[in-house]
Amino acid sequence: MTRYLISFDDGAMTFPEEELPEVAKASHEVVRQAQDAGVWVFGGGLESQQASVVATDGTVTDGPYPETKAVLGGFSIIDVPAREDALEWAARIAAACRCAQEVREIMPEASV
């Protein structure tokens, strides 16, 4: 099995505020389906775009920065046999959240 990151940019969820309960219900249903299918690892929306960057020397800088074009708004991590499966789950999430999703394969853990 391979883990995939399914994510969307902050601000991508553009629908009328009164539809939020319906979108939340649909999103939670997709998560429940992924849990029932045994592919759900973890996920969630990000509370704030206030990021801190910690350099190799320990210096902390607050961001995001003006040159940042997009910031992460939320994500899901799933564990599925093939990329095609990840794309199918991304399609379900996109429909529920009403916004496009980006799919990336996560590198396998190094064996120690």
Side-chain angles (χ1 to χ4, degrees):
M1 300 271 271
T2 304
R3 289 187 175 182
Y4 290 86
L5 171 69
I6 301 173
S7 63
F8 62 91
D9 289 342
D10 184 48
M13 295 177 75
T14 56
F15 50 82
E17 189 173 332
E18 62 269 9
E19 294 178 15
L20 180 59
E22 182 182 332
V23 172
K25 181 179 178 183
S27 299
H28 287 111
E29 177 61 21
V30 172
V31 169
R32 187 195 59 73
Q33 291 171 359
Q35 289 170 331
D36 290 349
V39 301
W40 183 258
V41 176
F42 183 77
L46 299 180
E47 184 67 38
S48 167
Q49 292 308 320
Q50 181 61 40
S52 296
V53 177
V54 181
T56 56
D57 66 359
T59 304
V60 178
T61 308
D62 290 330
Y65 307 99
E67 66 272 12
T68 303
K69 292 184 176 37
V71 291
L72 192 62
F75 67 95
S76 304
I77 297 175
I78 60 169
D79 196 2
V80 292
R83 182 172 187 81
E84 292 75 23
D85 299 307
L87 295 173
E88 288 176 17
W89 282 105
R92 292 182 189 190
I93 293 168
C97 293
R98 300 184 188 178
C99 67
Q101 302 290 309
E102 183 174 290
V103 178
R104 294 180 181 229
E105 185 174 336
I106 298 174
M107 295 174 66
E109 292 181 40
S111 54
V112 276

